[in-house]
Amino acid sequence: MKRRTKAASHGILGTRAALAAAGVCFGLWGLWLLLDAMEPPALVRLPIWLGGAVVADDFFLVPLTLTVGWLVTRWSTGPDRHRTVGAVRTTLLYVGLTTLIAIPLLVRQGTGVNPTVLPRDYLRDWLLLEATIVVAGAVVFVVQRSRFTFSRSRASSGDIGGR
């Protein structure tokens, strides 16, 4: 194992310090832009909104994600299910990602929509997208399931190759 020379250690520390200083400067610049762009009442509501986001994440989204992951894992341990669990996991991943992207549009739309700003019905479009993803995932699941009709053969023990 090589030892670093003093010059190399100082170079690494200097690089880290420069990156940390740049990060602090960008953070302060962002804070200045935030304070400049928002009214004082909005600045009061911001920590409440951020606190609500943390609570929603920690007490709703995380337990929901862990529960769905646990259920998929329990389901995937059955005989021959290792072959199709990829379709289920991929479908759940895409549903989660598209929902995460759509949440700001769905929340912003609210009631009394300004059609010049948000001219589409985002709830309907999001539901159609999620239905399309689920149907595609179900088709892939059924196709994969039907391709492996030899589920009772020697290869069903789960070993790769099975020959």
Side-chain angles (χ1 to χ4, degrees):
M1 188 165 154
K2 291 185 177 181
R3 295 185 116 186
R4 289 192 179 121
T5 63
K6 271 192 168 182
S9 294
H10 288 303
I12 291 172
L13 290 176
T15 303
R16 287 181 181 173
L19 288 173
V24 169
C25 288
F26 278 120
L28 290 173
W29 180 48
L31 181 63
W32 178 71
L33 290 175
L34 177 73
L35 294 174
D36 187 47
M38 294 184 75
E39 302 285 328
L43 287 173
V44 171
R45 289 191 312 262
L46 181 64
I48 295 170
W49 185 86
L50 290 173
V54 169
V55 168
D57 180 60
D58 290 348
F59 293 109
F60 178 69
L61 293 177
V62 170
L64 178 67
T65 303
L66 290 174
T67 302
V68 169
W70 181 79
L71 288 172
V72 168
T73 302
R74 295 281 295 173
W75 170 80
S76 69
T77 58
D80 288 335
R81 292 198 179 126
H82 63 280
R83 301 175 196 270
T84 55
V85 73
V88 174
R89 287 181 179 167
T90 303
T91 302
L92 290 173
L93 175 71
Y94 286 138
V95 165
L97 286 174
T98 54
T99 300
L100 187 63
I101 292 169
I103 284 175
L105 295 171
L106 295 172
V107 171
R108 177 125 187 232
Q109 192 168 18
T111 57
V113 180
N114 181 352
T116 60
V117 176
L118 296 171
R120 303 196 45 102
D121 183 3
Y122 285 107
L123 179 61
R124 183 199 65 211
D125 293 346
W126 171 72
L127 289 172
L128 286 172
L129 176 64
E130 300 306 314
T132 304
I133 292 170
V134 169
V135 167
V139 167
V140 170
F141 176 81
V142 168
V143 167
Q144 283 184 344
R145 200 72 181 144
S146 65
R147 283 180 51 205
F148 299 112
T149 57
F150 56 88
S151 62
R152 299 291 176 225
S153 69
R154 291 182 301 157
S156 68
S157 64
D159 36 344
I160 308 279
R163 294 184 175 114

